[in-house]
Amino acid sequence: MAIPATQMRPGMIIKHNNELHAVFSVEHRTPGNLRAFIQAKLRNLRTGAMFEHRFRSPDPIDRVIVDEIDMEFLYNDGDDYYFMDTTSYEQTHLKRDTLGDAVEYLTANLQITVSFFDGVAVGIELPQVVELTVVETEPGLKSATASSVTKPAKMETGLVVQVPPFINEGEKIRIDTAEGAYMSRA
């Protein structure tokens, strides 16, 4: 199934150069007066090799159809992340290097889709938006309104996101998983 490069998300499985690859991270870039492009970090599922590739925005990407099972994230123990099948209650664990940047969005009880290819878990697909709690940021300003000024905020999972100045510690915010960007308060 071909999709445009702009719809590529971390955790997807794609076919690139006749090999299966897991998408580790995706970055949309628009340099000056040049054409926009997608910088993607890919991991070869057969060899485990990581590399970056630049796709043009309209490039067709072959998304591999894999068995997708709805699961719930339970917990992590070091580099092992445990998921539970919501229908059979079977548990599956994946390594951090299989999940890539997706681990920065995983919170307990988060409903996700785990992709299986030939009976082996090869990656996950995150929801479009996740809600995370801000654990560390500079104090908010009383009179601050939404503007182009931002400040870094550390989430409960360790992810750092640029947020508007009125966001304070302890608040829940909505984050776009495709770009890792602040969307709104939860």
Side-chain angles (χ1 to χ4, degrees), residues 60-135:
I61 304 296
D62 289 329
R63 183 172 180 195
V64 176
I65 301 302
V66 291
D67 297 329
E68 294 182 338
I69 298 174
D70 291 329
M71 292 194 162
E72 184 176 307
F73 174 65
L74 298 175
Y75 64 95
N76 71 306
D77 182 19
D79 283 349
D80 292 332
Y81 290 78
Y82 293 87
F83 302 90
M84 179 183 67
D85 187 332
T86 54
T87 53
S88 69
Y89 302 108
E90 284 184 36
Q91 287 190 17
T92 301
H93 85 280
L94 294 169
K95 295 280 188 194
R96 182 185 184 94
D97 58 345
T98 302
L99 297 172
D101 288 351
V103 299
E104 296 179 335
Y105 302 101
L106 294 176
T107 57
N109 304 324
L110 180 68
Q111 301 293 322
I112 54 140
T113 304
V114 177
S115 303
F116 288 86
F117 187 75
D118 287 341
V120 177
V122 292
I124 66 170
E125 191 167 326
L126 294 166
Q128 196 78 22
V129 176
V130 294
E131 291 183 6
L132 296 174
T133 306
V134 177
V135 293

Side-chain angles (χ1 to χ4, degrees), residues 29-36:
R29 292 191 180 164
T30 51
N33 60 355
L34 302 175
R35 298 251 186 239

